[in-house]
């Protein structure tokens, strides 16, 4: 599972430029079904025919990113945060961005660089004491002037991502884009497991684009691509098992199994599907957690427009929307097990 997660999370797939992730997944799905198609907006949809209600498992291919907002005369890049520069996102971005290696997707090649800010060695005392603001951060790609940046195929609008490697510490996996490559890893693993099974549903698996936008463009389009009875979104969830958070605020823990979400910031999830999943977990001794989120949303937010009953299963994750999102390998395995038994029995 780690090898798959490492491979998936390290593929660059900023919002609107998910094609490399989709290509990888297309080749994976193709091994297990002939029915794989790319939709007009760029969603990838794989079909595993079966008798019963139409279920779509879905996870998004895109990741948190920045865009080149302007290029200075001396060749530095000022960046705009991804499409939702509000609340916790801006907070997360500001505090963990400086020092990250950057990867810029130019028009011809990828460029490497670093998210930087002025060192305290050359700041005034008053500047050192004030907290870092978003506009204090810039990207240094090693260029000497604007011309060099242009010649490297970079213009305003090119996306930039954090570019750490994905590592395993004990049973935990840390890296960028767990959101939402863990969902894709679960689907890719399930595709192999269910390929030759009698399914209890007519099953689809969708890798959507542009989830990290207010419009959730990919899943908005998916809602009208097929009429699904049930939509099950797979996402990294929230976890409160770190020293500075009281358990009552977020009781979910890494290693205690997938978290079934009853509500989040935009939806209340389908009671019947939640009960079925709970029953399947109990009968098969699969650990699971039940959870309620406040600052959270999924692709189901827009998939309900097509009349699908919404369901959200999350793999608990620490430090969401950061370059060091951290999950537990066994939670991933248990999520696969839960869905396997749900879809086949
Ligand atoms: Zn997500």
């Amino acid at each position: 599972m780690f090898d798959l997660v490492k491979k998936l999370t390290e593929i660059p797939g900023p919002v609107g430029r998910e094609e490399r992730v989709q290509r990888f997944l297309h080749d994976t799905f193709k091994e297990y079904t002939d029915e794989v198609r790319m939709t007009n907006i760029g969603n990838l949809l794989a079909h595993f025919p079966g008798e019963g209600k139409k279920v779509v498992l879905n996870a998004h291919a895109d990741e948190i990113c920045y865009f080149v907002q302007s290029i200075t005369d001396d060749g530095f890049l000022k960046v705009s945060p991804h499409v939702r520069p509000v609340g916790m996102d801006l907070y997360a971005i500001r505090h963990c961005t400086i020092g990250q290696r950057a990867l810029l997707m130019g028009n011809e090649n990828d460029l490497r660089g670093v998210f930087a800010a002025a060192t305290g060695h050359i700041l005034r005392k008053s500047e050192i004491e004030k907290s870092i603001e978003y506009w204090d951060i810039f990207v240094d790609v090693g260029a000497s002037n604007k011309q060099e940046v242009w010649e490297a195929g970079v213009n305003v609008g090119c996306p930039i991502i954090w570019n750490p490697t994905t590592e395993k510490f004990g049973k935990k996996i840390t890296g960028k884009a767990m959101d939402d490559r863990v969902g894709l890893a679960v689907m890719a693993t399930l595709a192999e497991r269910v390929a030759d099974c009698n399914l209890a549903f007519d099953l689809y698996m969708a890798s959507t684009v542009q989830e990290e936008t207010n419009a959730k463009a990919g899943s908005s389009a998916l809602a009208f691509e097929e009429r699904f009875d049930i939509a099950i979104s797979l996402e990294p969830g929230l976890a409160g098992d770190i020293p500075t958070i009281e358990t009552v605020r977020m009781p979910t823990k890494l290693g205690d199994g997938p978290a079934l979400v009853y509500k989040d910031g935009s939806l209340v999830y389908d009671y019947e599907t939640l009960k079925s999943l709970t029953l399947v977990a109990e009968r098969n001794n699969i650990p699971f957690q039940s959870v309620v989120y406040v600052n959270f949303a999924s692709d189901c937010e827009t998939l309900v427009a097509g009349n699908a009953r919404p369901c959200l299963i999350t793999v608990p994750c620490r430090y969401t929307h950061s370059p060091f999102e951290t999950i537990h390998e066994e939670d991933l395995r248990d999520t696969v097990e839960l869905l396997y038994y749900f879809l086949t029995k």
Side-chain angles (χ1 to χ4, degrees):
M1 208 69 182
F2 170 69
D3 292 340
L4 178 64
V5 171
K6 182 171 171 69
K7 204 170 277 174
L8 272 165
T9 49
E10 290 182 355
I11 302 174
V15 184
R17 295 291 305 275
E18 300 90 346
E19 63 272 8
R20 295 182 206 178
V21 182
Q22 299 296 55
R23 216 175 296 138
F24 176 87
L25 219 63
H26 174 273
D27 295 348
T28 306
F29 284 149
K30 265 286 184 192
E31 288 179 43
Y32 309 111
T33 174
D34 291 333
E35 292 184 56
V36 185
R37 69 179 196 262
M38 183 76 91
T39 75
N40 188 49
I41 201 168
N43 292 326
L44 191 70
L45 194 57
H47 186 206
F48 301 82
E51 296 296 320
K53 288 187 173 171
K54 218 182 246 195
V55 170
V56 63
L57 298 184
N58 57 91
H60 61 92
D62 58 312
E63 67 189 91
I64 293 291
C65 67
Y66 304 80
F67 295 90
V68 177
Q69 175 130 9
S70 57
I71 305 165
T72 69
D73 288 341
D74 36 11
F76 295 99
L77 310 172
K78 295 296 290 187
V79 295
S80 125
H82 74 288
V83 203
R84 291 185 295 180
V86 288
M88 69 278 184
D89 283 353
L90 184 58
Y91 181 84
I93 284 165
R94 197 180 47 186
H95 284 77
C96 62
T97 297
I98 299 171
Q100 289 298 320
R101 297 302 156 113
L103 185 127
L104 187 153
M105 283 172 85
N107 295 307
E108 272 135 50
N109 299 305
D110 294 343
L111 267 76
R112 286 164 201 281
V114 64
F115 287 94
T119 162
H121 289 166
I122 55 172
L123 289 175
R124 293 189 185 91
K125 189 165 174 286
S126 61
E127 289 170 328
I128 293 169
E129 282 163 358
K130 87 172 177 56
S131 72
I132 288 272
E133 286 173 25
Y134 190 76
W135 289 106
D136 295 327
I137 306 169
F138 52 87
V139 172
D140 187 341
V141 289
S144 306
N145 53 55
K146 200 183 245 178
Q147 191 66 27
E148 272 184 31
V149 177
W150 282 336
E151 281 167 8
V154 176
N155 54 258
V156 166
C158 285
I160 308 180
I161 54 168
W162 300 311
N163 198 33
T165 54
T166 297
E167 307 294 335
K168 194 169 171 187
F169 304 125
K171 287 184 172 173
K172 304 201 176 74
I173 307 174
T174 295
K176 76 165 175 73
M178 296 295 158
D179 184 3
D180 186 13
R181 311 289 161 73
V182 300
L184 300 185
V186 168
M187 288 198 303
T189 310
L190 266 173
E192 183 181 358
R193 293 276 302 272
V194 303
D196 299 316
C197 289
N198 275 333
L199 291 167
F201 299 98
D202 190 26
L203 176 65
Y204 288 79
M205 293 189 195
S207 172
T208 59
V209 294
Q210 298 208 35
E211 191 272 348
E212 301 290 359
T213 67
N214 286 326
K216 296 200 175 355
S219 56
S220 295
L222 185 63
F224 298 97
E225 189 73 30
E226 289 283 344
R227 287 288 167 168
F228 303 111
D229 298 304
I230 303 170
I232 304 178
S233 287
L234 306 170
E235 283 273 2
L238 308 176
D241 57 347
I242 54 171
T244 48
I245 297 291
E246 308 99 65
T247 310
V248 289
R249 280 164 62 189
M250 184 47 64
T252 324
K253 286 188 186 130
L254 265 60
D256 277 7
L260 306 180
V261 183
Y262 279 73
K263 74 162 277 293
D264 63 18
S266 65
L267 281 177
V268 171
Y269 289 92
D270 183 52
Y271 182 72
E272 263 183 42
T273 312
L274 281 165
K275 284 296 135 197
S276 303
L277 284 162
T278 305
L279 208 64
V280 167
E282 284 168 352
R283 280 190 187 154
N284 295 283
N285 293 318
I286 301 164
F288 71 98
Q289 311 176 64
S290 302
V291 72
V292 160
Y293 296 141
V294 180
N295 294 325
F296 203 90
S298 73
D299 264 344
C300 274
E301 187 177 1
T302 48
L303 281 168
V304 290
N307 209 24
R309 290 184 177 218
C311 179
L312 173 58
I313 302 176
T314 60
V315 176
C317 180
R318 294 176 186 161
Y319 328 119
T320 46
H321 284 193
S322 82
F324 44 91
E325 293 178 325
T326 299
I327 60 155
H328 196 295
E329 200 175 21
E330 272 164 25
D331 292 334
L332 267 183
R333 287 214 185 92
D334 289 330
T335 306
V336 171
E337 290 306 305
L338 176 61
L339 282 164
Y340 173 75
Y341 286 109
F342 177 76
L343 295 167
T344 56
K345 307 274 162 164

